[in-house]
Amino acid sequence: MPNYTLYINGKERSVTADADTPLLWILRDELNLVGTKFGCGIAQCGACTVHIDGVAIRSCQMQVSILDDVKITTIEGLSADGKHPVQEAWKEIDVPQCGYCQSGQIMTASAFLEENKNPSEEEIREAMHGNICRCASYNRIEKAVKVAADKMS
Amino acid sequence: MKFQNKNNFSRRNFLKTSVLAGGGMLIGFNLLTACKPDAEMPVDIENLNFNDFNAFIKISDEGYVTIFSPNPEIGQGVKTSMPMIIAEELNVEWSKVNVVQGVLDTKNYKRQLAGGSQSIRFGWDALRQTGATTKQMLVNAAAIKWNVNANTCKASKGIITNSNGDKLGYGEVVKEAALLEVPEDVKLKKVSEYTIIGQEIVNVDIDKIITGKPLFGLDYKAEGMLYASVLRPPSFGQKLESFDATKAKKVAGVIDVITIGDKVRNFVKAGKNNWTFKLSETDKVVVIATNTWAALKGKKALSAVWVTDTKLESTQDHDKILTKVLDGKKQNIRREDGDVHKAFSKADRVIEKTYHSPFLPHNCMEPMNFYANVTAEKVHLVGPVQTPEYAASVVADMLGYDIDKVSLEMTRMGGGFGRRLYGDFVYEAAEISNAIKKPVKVISSREDDMTTGIYRPSIKYRIKASIKDGKVTGYHLKEAAVGGNMYGLIPNFFPAGCIPNYKVETGNYRGNITTGAWRAPYTNFLAFAEQSFFDELATELNIDTIQLRLDLLQNVKGTSDKSIQYSGQRMEDTIKLVREKANWGKTKDGVYQGFSAYYSHNTHVAEIAEIELKDGFPVIKKVVVAVDCGVVVNPTGARNQVEGGVLDGIGHAMYADFSFKDGKPSDRNFDTYRLIRMQETPKVEVHFVENELSPTGLGEPGLPPAGGAVANAINAALGKRMYSQPFVKELNDSSILS
């Protein structure tokens, strides 16, 4: 199997894997970064969202072989101390129920807020529409994104 | 009183204390059995053994309290709210409390289950008594040290004081307290004295969740663990004929391809499956690999021949069968008051409507998975399951191990919704590990999860009511279900006791599509049918729909009929609260309201949905909810449960469709199966009825009324009644985005 060097959370990581292995499984199985979740495997639920060069991307669709030149950030690397404004807002609003989808939600929200510092309610709802929360904590996700936006502006 | 080191447990409180070798005090107690007077004591109490108890409190020499929470956490918040109850009576500051998921030994666990919204309701007395008893022991120990009467001492925020102004922290008396007799009849606090219960306490796992720490079954890893993916029949009613693994074995990372099935089949054939769902008896093909991707890829590379085993069922057939069941006379009478047939024959008007629901998969965000390590000596199981005790007992039986040799560790669960009550994935993991004699994690893909589910049964309700002199005189409800029928208490919910002539009958069809509990079993759809029907009745009677419910409820107030499950008074208060908070009937133009109320899981809930029309399509803007669940232990967690339950109910009523053709499920993943998403969600506003009654369930009761409230609002806006789910199908539109 070929060897790949990835740049994840500010560190170079070397992995040996089949070329078509999705980043999701490299993170979870090879690098023990299990905060990125498996939900659907077809980019429909957003549980596996990471940042690639700052853009929210579904890691279940990114093959390891094409990631040699990019910066990857996972939930584990979003902040050093768990105190990214989005993480703080999630805590303040007490968003999670089961919690499984929330790292994907946080990664989507944090990339979105880098692009749009002062989003309207409609923009927040649109930005978060691709991430499913089966517990339906949507009201709180919406509120937390707003709180995070206030913290970041 | 003097210090002693024997019999330091209480039969009544089912509690035992011990000094810890490393410092501090450990209190073990058996939650849930603690309230039962006939609870059996562990036989050997000479040494405190973790196996004898299912919950613990550890108090360190520094006064820090660790509570080992015993119940499975599926997102319903018990890992936060149950320890809050202990901390309240223990009189410690919440900031000094650390909560840890208890490691389980199924041998000694009497009842550990998440389901039916019962954790808090059953735990309420036991948790309070445990906290209060422990506090009293600490106070007694301080009193002995000071040589004063314990009655003159007080405990607050982890500090004990006496009338002389002396102070001792809990940590300073733990060694002595652990050796004291356990006091009986401790005094519990009044609701007005609470300082932790009723506070907004953030989920105890919040930091781990927001930083992506391993918490869930899918995150669990063990030394030497392999990954397994299971190929099951594509259609219900099929079994394996043959397979070719040549290509699969060439996939990098695939170690082996095996079949399983014997162990479960023998278990079923021996008549031992006493659970309500049918276990698949076919052989299954299993790909064993060094990583998840290889296991999933290897499965796709398999080719298998499946043959019809029983029969291949289709939703179209189910539809006809259910209608036949409704029309037929072979129904079971579940409750009968008066004579509905006489009421119908004497009526001015008779109204009859039929409601239909599809099958529904659970779609927990964390797909089914489980870890098993079967060795010659023992079996170790780890993962997310709502019924750990039963799952472990089945594995022990299946593989021929003594139950003592089977241990099960629970992880946090990425949703349950009833799916994880069933341990089929635990048995598969155990059978695979048994075959390969290695530790293994079985992982379902989303497609596996959705197509080999244990679905909410497809159901039809036919409701018939008679009106005489402007009053509802008779009510006859028939249920026809694929799979089992409504559980025993449901026929005693509203409107039982409100209408003099009342009858509930059920009939079913036992097919080969596996069905089971789905969040708020049966009531998740029954409430929609019934509450839509009452809305239609109010229109027929030309009275306000809320007034109709309130009028009917007068008939059940003060009833001597002990079988009636709900309270007429509490339901009335809940309805009145939502009516006031939602400004019922006083909305601005273009806003249409729909009302629904339902009692389930011991909790009374009333909801008013508000919709507006956009390009002629209904957009749900807001849902106002009133809930009577007794004392609200953790308001933020409680509101979260209700908000989620309401949106879950709306999402499935509006969008969820699932069917079978020749045994094959219609949907495999979220590209075609529609779950509610952010832009479709209304704001949910939750109000609790304030009282001091014991807390009741919250994980489920918010859901059942939601579909009816929306359906009735749609009718208010469009004059169109909903008789089946999903509503988008009824509305003949696939895009109701706001």
Side-chain angles (χ1 to χ4, degrees):
Chain A
M1 279 193 285
N3 195 65
Y4 298 97
T5 302
L6 304 175
Y7 196 69
I8 302 174
N9 298 334
K11 277 185 210 146
E12 269 191 12
R13 305 293 298 259
S14 177
V15 291
T16 305
D18 238 6
D20 67 349
T21 309
L23 174 61
L24 167 66
W25 298 114
I26 298 287
L27 295 171
R28 292 188 55 83
D29 289 356
E30 309 301 327
L31 300 176
N32 221 10
L33 294 168
V34 296
T36 305
K37 298 299 191 220
F38 169 56
C40 71
I42 59 166
Q44 289 289 317
C45 75
C48 68
T49 305
V50 299
H51 296 173
I52 294 185
D53 288 338
V55 179
I57 298 282
R58 308 294 191 236
S59 66
C60 71
Q61 298 301 305
M62 301 307 287
Q63 296 191 352
V64 64
S65 56
I66 59 162
L67 298 171
D68 53 344
D69 229 6
V70 295
K71 282 183 186 166
I72 299 162
T73 307
T74 69
I75 185 76
E76 291 91 346
L78 184 64
S79 64
D81 50 3
K83 294 202 165 128
H84 184 283
V86 173
Q87 288 169 316
E88 299 229 288
W90 244 249
K91 187 171 178 173
E92 209 171 303
I93 301 298
D94 191 22
V95 174
Q97 288 183 38
C98 88
Y100 191 79
C101 74
Q102 300 295 349
S103 46
Q105 305 275 2
I106 289 170
M107 294 311 279
T108 299
S110 52
F112 165 66
L113 291 175
E114 285 300 328
E115 293 290 308
N116 187 343
K117 303 277 182 212
N118 188 22
S120 67
E121 186 186 309
E122 278 315 303
E123 285 168 336
I124 292 173
R125 285 165 70 87
E126 197 188 330
M128 302 308 296
H129 192 72
N131 286 64
I132 295 173
C133 173
R134 178 65 183 83
C135 304
S137 64
Y138 295 115
N139 274 204
R140 290 181 185 222
I141 292 169
E142 189 180 330
K143 215 178 287 174
V145 175
K146 185 85 197 106
V147 168
D150 293 344
K151 284 180 192 289
M152 287 167 81
S153 61
Chain B
M1 188 188 294
K2 60 182 199 287
F3 296 127
Q4 57 178 28
N5 194 12
K6 58 171 184 172
N7 290 346
N8 49 345
F9 68 92
S10 152
R11 184 166 297 273
R12 181 150 171 242
N13 289 303
F14 216 41
L15 182 148
K16 187 177 190 289
T17 63
S18 178
V19 180
L20 284 171
M25 166 192 193
L26 190 67
I27 302 103
F29 60 101
N30 272 28
L31 183 70
L32 303 178
T33 49
C35 351
K36 295 178 187 165
D38 57 350
E40 277 179 42
M41 284 301 295
V43 182
D44 177 19
I45 51 155
E46 278 310 300
N47 297 299
L48 182 71
N49 180 345
F50 263 77
N51 294 349
D52 295 335
F53 301 94
N54 62 10
F56 296 91
I57 305 169
K58 191 172 97 182
I59 304 174
S60 75
D61 290 343
E62 292 79 35
Y64 282 91
V65 177
T66 305
I67 296 173
F68 296 85
S69 179
N71 264 37
E73 177 63 81
I74 51 176
Q76 81 281 41
V78 291
K79 197 172 164 184
T80 309
S81 54
M82 294 177 87
M84 280 175 73
I85 300 170
I86 295 174
E88 176 69 64
E89 289 289 351
L90 189 56
N91 274 356
V92 286
E93 285 178 285
W94 183 251
S95 59
K96 292 255 174 88
V97 175
N98 180 32
V99 180
V100 176
Q101 173 76 59
V103 176
L104 307 189
D105 184 319
T106 45
K107 177 191 167 192
N108 293 290
Y109 286 93
K110 298 299 176 203
R111 182 185 187 276
Q112 219 149 18
L113 185 147
S117 302
Q118 300 299 320
S119 300
I120 291 288
R121 181 172 162 244
F122 285 155
W124 178 241
D125 285 334
L127 292 166
R128 287 185 301 155
Q129 285 210 10
T130 300
T133 304
T134 306
K135 181 199 72 183
Q136 193 57 51
M137 290 173 81
L138 293 161
V139 169
N140 290 349
I144 291 169
K145 268 197 170 180
W146 289 324
N147 201 20
V148 299
N149 189 324
N151 292 336
T152 65
C153 303
K154 279 183 183 141
S156 171
K157 294 182 180 175
I159 308 281
I160 305 153
T161 52
N162 65 20
S163 47
N164 304 327
D166 299 324
K167 278 187 186 176
L168 280 168
Y170 280 4
E172 296 174 86
V173 290
V174 283
K175 285 190 190 75
E176 294 82 2
L179 302 177
L180 292 176
E181 279 175 39
V182 175
E184 304 275 345
D185 299 321
V186 291
K187 197 168 155 245
L188 298 176
K189 287 183 182 176
K190 291 188 199 120
V191 172
S192 58
E193 293 169 325
Y194 289 158
T195 59
I196 294 175
I197 291 172
Q199 297 302 304
E200 311 247 333
I201 305 276
V202 172
N203 185 334
V204 292
D205 279 335
I206 188 76
D207 290 325
K208 288 177 186 159
I209 291 169
I210 61 176
T211 55
K213 296 284 183 301
L215 277 173
F216 301 92
L218 211 64
D219 304 341
Y220 180 83
K221 285 182 185 177
E223 186 70 31
M225 181 181 93
L226 296 171
Y227 297 80
S229 178
V230 182
L231 185 71
R232 307 170 183 89
S235 299
F236 284 84
Q238 289 180 321
K239 67 175 181 184
L240 182 70
E241 173 80 5
S242 62
F243 71 99
D244 181 354
T246 317
K247 282 184 192 163
K249 283 185 177 172
K250 285 182 186 151
V251 172
V254 169
I255 293 174
D256 201 359
V257 177
I258 63 166
T259 58
I260 55 162
D262 270 357
K263 299 291 182 191
V264 167
R265 201 158 45 238
N266 293 339
F267 178 76
V268 175
K269 286 210 159 55
K272 288 175 172 171
N273 183 31
N274 59 9
W275 199 235
T276 52
F277 84 104
K278 223 176 136 235
L279 280 167
S280 168
E281 292 176 56
T282 178
D283 276 339
K284 300 163 188 173
V285 189
V286 184
V287 176
I288 313 287
T290 54
N291 62 73
T292 314
W293 179 243
L296 294 174
K297 212 170 135 185
K299 180 154 71 84
K300 278 191 184 150
L302 285 172
S303 60
V305 177
W306 307 95
V307 292
T308 303
D309 180 26
T310 50
K311 67 181 165 185
L312 306 178
E313 300 176 20
S314 296
T315 296
Q316 268 188 324
D317 305 333
H318 290 141
D319 212 41
K320 287 177 198 143
I321 292 165
L322 291 182
T323 301
K324 211 177 268 181
V325 172
L326 285 179
D327 290 342
K329 301 233 180 289
K330 277 194 212 155
Q331 298 250 334
N332 291 319
I333 299 173
R334 305 290 294 275
R335 183 183 172 102
E336 190 171 20
D337 303 329
D339 186 338
V340 283
H341 305 288
K342 204 185 257 177
F344 292 140
S345 69
K346 287 187 176 171
D348 298 334
R349 268 175 298 165
V350 173
I351 298 154
E352 183 185 287
K353 299 291 169 188
T354 303
Y355 301 85
H356 174 81
S357 74
F359 291 95
L360 291 184
H362 296 85
N363 286 328
C364 305
M365 284 312 288
E366 179 191 15
M368 295 308 112
N369 68 88
F370 227 81
Y371 167 89
N373 187 14
V374 179
T375 61
E377 298 77 38
K378 60 186 182 178
V379 178
H380 186 50
L381 305 163
V382 184
V385 64
Q386 284 171 267
T387 48
E389 181 192 353
Y390 182 71
S393 75
V394 172
V395 169
D397 196 317
M398 243 176 52
L399 302 183
Y401 284 78
D402 192 280
I403 188 69
D404 287 8
K405 304 292 178 203
V406 180
S407 56
L408 192 152
E409 254 179 74
M410 283 192 305
T411 57
R412 190 176 181 92
M413 298 178 219
F417 311 106
R419 179 61 184 89
R420 289 190 160 98
L421 288 168
Y422 309 104
D424 48 320
F425 44 89
V426 186
Y427 317 153
E428 280 181 355
E431 193 168 355
I432 295 165
S433 179
N434 182 62
I436 63 174
K437 299 291 177 216
K438 287 198 171 81
V440 68
K441 170 101 70 79
V442 174
I443 292 178
S444 284
S445 65
R446 176 57 56 194
E447 290 81 4
D448 296 333
D449 203 271
M450 207 181 286
T451 60
T452 61
I454 295 168
Y455 306 94
R456 176 184 81 173
S458 177
I459 294 184
K460 279 187 194 295
Y461 287 109
R462 183 175 289 164
I463 314 178
K464 194 174 172 183
S466 54
I467 295 171
K468 175 83 176 165
D469 302 329
K471 295 249 180 292
V472 184
T473 53
Y475 185 91
H476 185 189
L477 181 135
K478 277 183 165 183
E479 176 186 90
V482 178
N485 284 117
M486 64 169 72
Y487 55 88
L489 296 176
I490 293 178
N492 307 317
F493 291 2
F494 178 86
C498 291
I499 300 170
N501 305 294
Y502 174 91
K503 192 175 185 181
V504 173
E505 290 181 280
T506 58
N508 65 53
Y509 165 73
R510 298 267 177 193
N512 60 23
I513 287 161
T514 45
T515 59
W518 192 101
R519 194 178 193 178
Y522 297 94
T523 61
N524 59 46
F525 183 70
L526 171 59
F528 151 73
E530 175 197 293
Q531 290 297 304
S532 298
F533 185 80
F534 273 98
D535 205 65
E536 203 161 344
L537 269 185
T539 307
E540 283 289 330
L541 288 162
N542 198 26
I543 66 166
D544 175 70
T545 190
I546 290 183
Q547 196 55 50
L548 171 63
R549 310 302 204 287
L550 295 177
D551 290 348
L552 285 168
L553 285 168
Q554 301 316 309
N555 302 332
V556 77
K557 279 194 205 166
T559 181
S560 57
D561 183 344
K562 294 268 184 269
S563 71
I564 299 291
Q565 292 297 303
Y566 63 105
S567 152
Q569 186 62 54
R570 292 178 79 169
M571 187 55 100
E572 179 181 322
D573 293 345
T574 309
I575 290 173
K576 284 181 171 168
L577 181 63
V578 82
R579 181 171 69 178
E580 176 207 327
K581 295 292 182 186
N583 279 316
W584 174 249
K586 294 173 199 151
T587 53
K588 58 177 188 196
D589 283 355
V591 177
Y592 303 91
Q593 292 179 314
F595 167 84
S596 171
Y598 204 75
Y599 161 93
S600 67
H601 307 281
N602 311 90
T603 297
H604 300 75
V605 183
E607 299 177 11
I608 290 174
E610 290 187 3
I611 67 172
E612 293 174 17
L613 295 176
K614 195 181 177 192
D615 303 326
F617 298 120
V619 179
I620 308 158
K621 297 299 244 186
K622 188 163 108 174
V623 182
V624 182
V625 189
V627 182
D628 179 355
C629 60
V631 170
V632 179
V633 177
N634 184 10
T636 172
R639 279 198 311 275
N640 211 347
Q641 288 303 303
V642 177
E643 290 162 9
V646 169
L647 295 180
D648 191 8
I650 290 174
H652 283 89
M654 286 294 289
Y655 308 113
D657 202 4
F658 199 78
S659 59
F660 295 87
K661 187 147 195 288
D662 298 328
K664 196 173 182 180
S666 58
D667 300 86
R668 299 168 55 75
N669 207 322
F670 300 133
D671 50 344
T672 61
Y673 187 89
R674 194 169 170 190
L675 283 170
I676 193 166
R677 289 171 183 266
M678 179 67 93
Q679 284 179 297
E680 295 137 1
T681 55
K683 301 282 181 292
V684 182
E685 189 185 300
V686 184
H687 303 274
F688 292 102
V689 174
E690 280 182 34
N691 62 36
E692 299 191 351
L693 301 164
S694 297
T696 57
L698 266 184
E700 289 158 291
L703 188 150
V710 168
N712 295 336
I714 289 173
N715 179 65
L718 299 172
K720 186 172 170 53
R721 291 281 174 196
M722 301 288 108
Y723 294 108
S724 69
Q725 293 182 352
F727 299 161
V728 283
K729 219 170 168 183
E730 286 243 41
L731 290 162
N732 195 24
D733 173 63
S734 59
S735 156
I736 301 196
L737 304 182
S738 52

